[in-house]
Amino acid sequence: MMALLTVTDIVNTACAKIGEEPPQSLTDDLGGGQSASLLYEAVVDFNLGLQPSGFHFAREVRQLSRLTGVTAYTGYDYVFEVPGPHDGPPVFLTDDPSDPGRRYDRYVLTAGRVHASDDPLYAMVKFRPDPHHWTGTFRMATISALAAEMAMAIASDRNTMQIWHQVAYGNASDNFRGGQIRAALTEDGFANPPRRIAVADNPLERSWRS
């Protein structure tokens, strides 16, 4: 049975790409470990953000947590917390998680909380998964991108940084959607079913369902 990939494995592979010794520990900054860990988090979060709807391995539906004793000053009845950990605002809200095409839009998102008058509600949220959940294409693009950042941070080698940055993201005209990350985005696109036209999203339909 193969061992699960860890953050250390990703950092070590990135170091190997640029011919640098990996840090002994990601929690000890004497050998650059904490800096490597911070770079890892920044690169992974950026790459995950390149898919606005969330990579399929880095998103999930969670029920919102209704808060008690909190007044919704926006005029809605309830205030909900978005369960964490998660990255950024919810991709979408729904009051029926069994219907993939159903979207809930009668809410206000303020200060990281959802104000609405329906309960229960559910949110598709994005989060940072452990490396063993990544696809091979996303893993390779992230390792190359991390190698670029570490080439500059460890060796101040701008040429090597530019080489691996281009491998990961393509040319400047690709707007961070070329190179290896394009393969990851393309692969993930097949995991996202096409949205149907919301022909049923009208007052009569909503009234019937309520």
Side-chain angles (χ1 to χ4, degrees):
M1 181 177 180
M2 294 181 62
L4 298 179
L5 284 172
T6 66
V7 174
T8 301
D9 294 329
I10 300 300
V11 171
N12 289 352
T13 307
C15 288
K17 279 181 174 288
I18 59 174
E20 295 290 340
E21 287 293 323
Q24 295 297 316
S25 170
L26 295 183
T27 59
D28 184 1
D29 204 33
L30 293 177
Q34 289 185 4
S35 297
S37 180
L38 291 173
L39 284 174
Y40 164 87
E41 293 179 2
V43 169
V44 173
D45 287 346
F46 179 81
N47 283 357
L48 290 172
L50 292 175
Q51 179 63 290
S53 62
F55 283 89
H56 72 276
F57 55 82
R59 65 180 186 181
E60 65 182 6
V61 175
R62 300 176 186 168
Q63 183 173 347
L64 299 186
S65 301
R66 180 177 160 186
L67 301 178
T68 59
V70 180
T71 302
Y73 55 83
T74 53
Y76 290 97
D77 294 334
Y78 311 122
V79 178
F80 298 88
E81 197 82 66
V82 181
H86 60 87
D87 294 328
V91 177
F92 65 82
L93 264 61
T94 182
D95 56 356
D96 184 1
S98 68
D99 184 351
R102 184 165 174 81
R103 299 291 185 267
Y104 183 87
D105 59 7
R106 299 185 299 281
Y107 71 95
V108 171
L109 184 64
T110 176
R113 292 176 172 177
V114 172
H115 292 209
S117 294
D118 293 291
D119 184 29
L121 291 176
Y122 307 83
M124 177 71 80
V125 299
K126 296 187 291 185
F127 63 96
R128 186 200 304 151
D130 293 331
H132 65 271
H133 290 296
W134 301 353
T135 60
T137 52
F138 182 86
R139 181 170 63 249
M140 185 59 74
T142 299
I143 290 172
S144 296
L146 182 58
E149 296 295 332
M150 297 188 71
M152 194 65 187
I154 296 176
S156 299
D157 189 341
R158 184 172 297 274
N159 288 334
T160 299
M161 179 196 73
Q162 292 174 341
I163 290 171
W164 284 110
H165 190 275
Q166 186 172 9
V167 169
Y169 301 118
N171 300 317
S173 60
D174 292 320
N175 196 26
F176 295 98
R177 283 173 169 76
Q180 292 172 333
I181 200 68
R182 177 179 292 170
L185 291 167
T186 300
E187 179 185 32
D188 190 71
F190 288 96
N192 297 317
R195 288 282 307 280
R196 293 176 297 176
I197 299 176
V199 294
D201 188 16
N202 57 74
L204 290 176
E205 179 76 9
R206 289 197 296 266
S207 176
W208 177 81
R209 293 176 64 97
S210 63

